[in-house]
């Protein structure tokens, strides 16, 4: 049954705040990108929403915390957005946070290869995929043979675009890896190392020889659409929870909803175990027409004391879904060491280095080095990871030797994203067999890898299901 709603007015209206916390229309469990975007969409449509978040801070896998020594708000890992994150930008506009990210005019990245050679790939503002082709043809990091090999991707990219538009044609097969797909389409080792592998690692968080190709084809189809800005990179200009999560909370509460942190939710079932009886946090229980779970795949089973038979298949698949880690090493120097917001370090364990000046301010000398698909280094000690990150940075940027490393920290996210190796269990749809219970989260079947955009699309979808 759909919720009866009155859309929110353009100016804030005086809602009965207590009703959202006692008689919500919809309960959203989890306050990451998925849960908050669902709650904001519902709030915009006039629903009274109660958001329950287990942790003491908002943001889930995209959050920040104060550094113990410097007090600086440090992200749990650098996040980048792409111009093609259309629903994410819509969400940020809804909550008045669109200025908390800075979108580049087009795809442009500086790369330092394993020999220390620094070059720049800059795609001109031409329609896609011409801008990428033109950018690669101009890129002096590559031999002419490498540059021309790019043309082998023209047909697969066209097919990926068609697939996105609904054609039954498949750009890549389910059982091939990104690496196999690129080799099959004639991409040289150098072009893969400098362009495709860093792109795939950033987008999929899994090694190209492990990740399934169709999701990469989908990412490329979204990036290389008619709008040249779709492939451009956007960087947050605030610590992650301030960038979107706190503005979302403010929006929801201003319009009569409630956001509770430190609230681990459990779902109670009726006697027949075929309907939700209520959502509990400690001794409190709420009922609502709809409950949206936006918890990650690894937390779904724990939502229930008793497993509802209607969700047996979904919970079983969620349990069997693998995870892929990200390791971030934060390095503080006694002076500025990078003269641009980020550089790619292809072929190294730490594949990107970000200068946090954009977030922390001009006086900062804090770099975040990121290792995606980091399964091989996850178990290393903090000291070893810091040494590795520092040495790789010095190797790529010898002038950094003049700067003194004054502090370093490590952030491990062992379950940063769900695994997308071929053969992983199927991802679930938004609607479930349990009446009134909906799923959101980056791992829902959006067709995208585990990204902010997947989370937001899933959240919007779940909200629309409550409203329809
Ligand atoms: C280090 C790192 C770097 C990344 N980089 C990028 C990037 O550059 N670009 C990009 O697009 N994506 C990136 N991602 C992926 C992106 O962060 C995720 O896809 C996205 O944040 C997932 O959002 P979500 O809302 O689906 O899940 P989550 O953020 O995991 O939110 C789920 C929330 O549910 C809460 N919860 C769980 N159980 C309960 C319960 N019982 N009761 C109440 N609450 C509960 C959790 O505490 C959590 O806050 C990165 C991820 C990591 C970890």
């Amino acid at each position: 049954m759909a919720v009866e709603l009155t859309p929110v007015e353009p100016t804030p209206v005086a809602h009965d705040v207590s009703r959202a916390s006692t008689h919500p229309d919809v309960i959203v469990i989890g306050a990451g990108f998925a849960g908050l975007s669902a709650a904001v969409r519902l709030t915009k449509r006039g629903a009274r929403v109660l958001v329950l978040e287990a942790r003491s801070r908002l943001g889930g896998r995209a959050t920040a915390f104060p550094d113990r020594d410097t007090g600086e708000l440090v992200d749990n890992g650098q996040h980048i957005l792409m111009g093609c994150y259309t629903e994410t930008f819509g969400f940020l506009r809804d909550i008045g946070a669109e200025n908390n990210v800075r979108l580049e005019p087009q795809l442009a990245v500086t790369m330092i290869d394993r020999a220390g050679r620094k070059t720049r790939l800059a795609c001109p503002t031409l329609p896609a995929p011409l801008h990428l082709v033109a950018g690669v043809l101009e890129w002096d990091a590559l031999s002419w043979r490498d540059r021309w090999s790019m043309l082998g991707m023209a047909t697969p990219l066209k097919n990926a675009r068609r697939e996105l538009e609904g054609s039954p044609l498949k750009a890549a097969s389910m059982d091939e890896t990104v690496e196999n797909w690129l080799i099959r389409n004639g991409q040289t080792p150098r072009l893969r190392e400098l362009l495709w592998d860093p792109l795939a690692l950033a987008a999929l968080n899994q090694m190209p020889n492990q990740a399934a190709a169709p999701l990469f084809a989908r990412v490329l189809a979204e990036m290389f659409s008619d709008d040249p800005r779709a492939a451009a990179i956007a960087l947050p200009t605030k610590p992650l929870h301030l960038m979107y999560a706190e503005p979302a909370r403010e929006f929801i509460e201003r319009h009569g909803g409630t956001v509770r942190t430190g609230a681990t939710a459990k779902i109670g079932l009726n006697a027949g175990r075929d309907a939700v009886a209520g959502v509990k946090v400690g001794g409190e229980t709420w009922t609502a027409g709809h409950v949206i779970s936006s918890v990650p795949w690894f937390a779904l089973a724990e939502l229930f004391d008793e497993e509802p038979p209607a969700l047996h298949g979904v919970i079983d698949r969620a349990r069997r879904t693998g995870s892929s880690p990200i390791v971030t090493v934060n390095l503080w120097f006694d002076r500025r060491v990078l003269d641009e917001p980020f550089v790619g370090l292809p072929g190294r364990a730490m594949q990107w280095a970000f200068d946090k000046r954009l977030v922390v301010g001009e006086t900062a000398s804090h770099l975040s080095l990121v290792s995606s698909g980091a399964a091989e280094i996850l178990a290393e000690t903090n000291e070893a990871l810091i040494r590795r990150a520092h040495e790789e940075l010095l190797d790529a940027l010898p002038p950094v030797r003049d700067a003194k490393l004054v502090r370093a920290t490590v952030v491990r996210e062992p379950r940063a994203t769900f695994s997308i190796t071929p053969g992983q269990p199927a991802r679930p749809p938004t609607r479930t067999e349990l009446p009134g219970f909906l799923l959101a989260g980056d791992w829902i079947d959006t067709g995208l890898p585990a990204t902010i955009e997947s989370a937001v699309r899933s959240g919007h979808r779940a909200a629309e299901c409550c409203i329809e």
Side-chain angles (χ1 to χ4, degrees), residues 28-36 52-55 57-63 76-82 85 202-203 205 240 244 260 263-266 281 294-300 302-303 324-328 354 370 372 411-413 415-418 440-443 449-456 458:
V28 177
I29 304 175
F33 266 105
L36 290 170
L52 300 171
E53 167 55 49
R55 294 199 196 163
R57 60 175 176 267
L58 304 176
R61 276 170 287 148
T63 192
N76 68 319
Q78 175 69 42
H79 280 61
I80 60 166
L81 289 75
M82 310 284 304
Y85 282 19
N205 187 34
L240 283 168
Y244 77 99
R260 298 246 316 239
T264 302
K266 281 272 179 196
V281 173
S294 76
V295 308
W297 62 100
F298 54 82
L300 183 67
E302 289 158 36
L303 272 183
S324 186
I326 295 180
V327 170
T328 305
F354 293 86
V370 178
S372 299
V411 186
R412 286 183 186 75
E413 285 280 8
R415 295 185 291 192
T417 60
F418 56 86
D442 58 355
W443 63 288
T451 52
I452 291 170
E453 179 67 4
S454 180
V456 172
S458 78

Side-chain angles (χ1 to χ4, degrees), residues 20 194 203 334 360 425:
L194 288 197
D334 65 348
V360 187

Side-chain angles (χ1 to χ4, degrees), residues 310-328:
L311 292 185
H312 175 70
V314 172
I315 291 178
D316 176 55
R317 288 200 297 277
R319 268 205 195 97
R320 287 189 290 111
T321 298
S323 303
S324 186
I326 295 180
V327 170
T328 305

Side-chain angles (χ1 to χ4, degrees), residues 66 115 212 231 252 294 322 361 378:
I252 294 162
S294 76
L378 186 68

Side-chain angles (χ1 to χ4, degrees), residues 224-448:
F224 300 113
S225 70
D226 296 337
D227 177 2
R229 251 195 150 174
I233 288 173
L235 292 177
T237 57
K238 289 201 169 159
L240 283 168
H241 68 304
L242 298 182
M243 168 205 146
Y244 77 99
E246 288 299 336
R249 181 213 294 256
E250 208 260 325
F251 180 92
I252 294 162
E253 293 187 341
R254 186 154 39 91
H255 293 96
T258 301
V259 178
R260 298 246 316 239
T261 49
T264 302
K266 281 272 179 196
I267 297 179
L269 300 175
N270 66 353
R273 292 198 296 149
D274 57 4
V276 172
V279 177
K280 297 175 284 180
V281 173
E284 290 175 276
T285 302
W286 296 269
T287 54
H290 292 88
V291 175
I292 299 175
S293 157
S294 76
V295 308
W297 62 100
F298 54 82
L300 183 67
E302 289 158 36
L303 272 183
F304 301 91
D305 286 328
E306 281 182 292
E307 183 180 293
L311 292 185
H312 175 70
V314 172
I315 291 178
D316 176 55
R317 288 200 297 277
R319 268 205 195 97
R320 287 189 290 111
T321 298
S323 303
S324 186
I326 295 180
V327 170
T328 305
V329 178
N330 292 297
L331 301 177
W332 281 264
F333 291 93
D334 65 348
R335 68 195 75 175
R336 276 164 53 168
V337 292
L338 263 194
D339 50 12
E340 45 200 317
F342 66 98
V343 291
L345 305 172
R348 294 182 165 86
M350 314 305 298
Q351 302 110 6
W352 298 93
F354 293 86
D355 186 315
K356 300 306 284 183
R357 246 179 300 156
L358 196 61
V359 175
V360 187
E362 278 307 308
T363 53
S365 51
H366 166 190
L367 298 193
S368 273
L369 281 93
V370 178
S371 182
S372 299
E376 278 188 18
I377 61 167
L378 186 68
E380 289 183 8
T381 62
N382 285 2
E383 290 69 29
L385 286 167
I386 291 165
R387 202 176 326 114
R388 179 193 276 279
H390 192 203
E391 280 170 6
E392 287 193 350
L393 189 69
L394 294 179
D395 188 49
L397 286 163
V400 177
R401 284 183 200 284
D402 297 336
K404 187 170 168 226
L405 179 65
V406 289
R407 175 165 166 70
T409 62
V410 174
V411 186
R412 286 183 186 75
E413 285 280 8
R415 295 185 291 192
T417 60
F418 56 86
S419 170
I420 55 160
T421 53
Q424 285 292 316
R427 293 159 67 183
T430 308
R431 290 184 194 278
T432 72
E433 299 291 313
L434 191 64
F437 181 70
L438 300 154
L439 292 172
D442 58 355
W443 63 288
I444 303 314
D445 188 14
T446 59
L448 292 171

Side-chain angles (χ1 to χ4, degrees), residues 51-320:
V51 181
L52 300 171
E53 167 55 49
R55 294 199 196 163
S56 58
R57 60 175 176 267
L58 304 176
R61 276 170 287 148
T63 192
F65 53 87
D67 177 62
R68 203 187 54 223
D69 283 11
T70 62
E72 186 183 314
L73 286 167
V74 176
D75 291 339
N76 68 319
Q78 175 69 42
H79 280 61
I80 60 166
L81 289 75
M82 310 284 304
C84 57
Y85 282 19
T86 48
E87 296 210 22
T88 305
F89 285 108
F91 166 58
L92 294 176
R93 271 193 301 277
D94 284 344
I95 56 174
E98 67 271 41
N99 293 331
N100 294 346
V101 289
R102 199 181 75 183
L103 178 63
E104 303 287 327
Q106 73 266 332
L107 178 61
V109 282
T110 298
M111 293 288 194
I112 302 174
D113 70 11
R114 277 185 295 171
R117 182 147 176 250
K118 187 171 176 179
T119 57
R120 189 158 170 85
L121 166 68
C123 297
T125 43
L126 293 171
L130 282 182
H131 65 327
L132 180 66
V133 174
V136 169
L137 288 179
E138 286 284 303
W139 196 9
D140 59 4
L142 303 170
S143 71
W144 279 105
R145 186 172 162 266
D146 297 319
R147 296 183 211 188
W148 286 118
S149 80
M150 161 82 191
L151 297 179
M153 288 303 285
T155 305
L157 279 181
K158 210 185 316 149
N159 290 344
R161 284 290 308 159
R162 288 199 186 133
E163 193 180 340
L164 184 59
E165 285 152 13
S167 157
L169 201 83
K170 298 281 173 236
S173 92
M174 280 309 291
D175 53 7
E176 70 183 327
T177 63
V178 170
E179 185 177 84
N180 291 341
W181 186 58
L182 293 170
I183 292 173
R184 184 159 70 75
N185 288 300
Q187 302 306 285
T188 61
R190 176 86 175 155
L191 185 58
R192 280 188 277 125
E193 176 171 325
L194 288 197
L195 176 69
W196 298 120
D197 292 357
L199 209 57
L201 264 167
L204 310 175
N205 187 34
Q206 211 142 18
M207 289 295 170
N209 62 359
Q210 293 168 358
L215 276 183
F216 189 47
R218 169 65 184 264
V219 169
L220 296 179
E222 300 233 358
M223 280 177 73
F224 300 113
S225 70
D226 296 337
D227 177 2
R229 251 195 150 174
I233 288 173
L235 292 177
T237 57
K238 289 201 169 159
L240 283 168
H241 68 304
L242 298 182
M243 168 205 146
Y244 77 99
E246 288 299 336
R249 181 213 294 256
E250 208 260 325
F251 180 92
I252 294 162
E253 293 187 341
R254 186 154 39 91
H255 293 96
T258 301
V259 178
R260 298 246 316 239
T261 49
T264 302
K266 281 272 179 196
I267 297 179
L269 300 175
N270 66 353
R273 292 198 296 149
D274 57 4
V276 172
V279 177
K280 297 175 284 180
V281 173
E284 290 175 276
T285 302
W286 296 269
T287 54
H290 292 88
V291 175
I292 299 175
S293 157
S294 76
V295 308
W297 62 100
F298 54 82
L300 183 67
E302 289 158 36
L303 272 183
F304 301 91
D305 286 328
E306 281 182 292
E307 183 180 293
L311 292 185
H312 175 70
V314 172
I315 291 178
D316 176 55
R317 288 200 297 277
R319 268 205 195 97
R320 287 189 290 111

